[in-house]
Amino acid sequence: SNLTCTQFANRTGDVFTGLQSRIVESPHPYCWSLNVEHLYQFTSSEVKGFKVVFDPQSSLEAGYDYLIFSEAPNQQNVIKEFRNGTVENFDWPTNEFYLYFYSDAAYVDYGFKFEVIPLIK
């Protein structure tokens, strides 16, 4: 079958104001040969961190495509990474994160989708 995919543009990411939850997701299915990093930031002084809750459909090509959450750009100060194809929910300790997503030149999968729920001070 002919698999169509959507490119995931490299961009600065999103600034979240207020205290509402947000959805962050890749295209479904994502394209191969991706190498993108986005910054997501909550600017409210009331946010001490947040909970990341993945959609059960989320899946990546195990061992080849991966998702990294870090405190600084270029995968510095990594807090959480997913390389085996599966993802899990977790709590994040600050008000911003860098999301790095890589896919190799071969197979792809559904991608990722998660809700970012602010944790109030």
Side-chain angles (χ1 to χ4, degrees), residues 41-108:
Q41 180 182 47
F42 282 91
T43 58
S44 172
S45 60
E46 296 175 63
V47 175
K48 65 178 180 183
F50 41 85
K51 184 175 289 295
V52 173
V53 179
F54 281 94
D55 184 294
Q57 292 182 89
S58 297
S59 65
L60 309 172
E61 185 197 3
Y64 296 96
D65 300 348
Y66 53 89
L67 195 55
I68 293 177
F69 291 80
S70 65
E71 292 182 309
N74 303 313
Q75 302 139 69
Q76 299 296 306
N77 305 340
V78 171
I79 299 285
K80 203 78 178 168
E81 57 186 301
F82 301 104
R83 294 179 179 268
N84 66 357
T86 60
V87 292
E88 64 183 18
N89 302 340
F90 65 94
D91 288 351
W92 186 262
T94 67
N95 72 327
E96 68 179 31
F97 66 95
Y98 288 83
L99 175 68
Y100 178 78
F101 182 48
Y102 173 86
S103 73
D104 68 358
Y107 300 100
V108 298

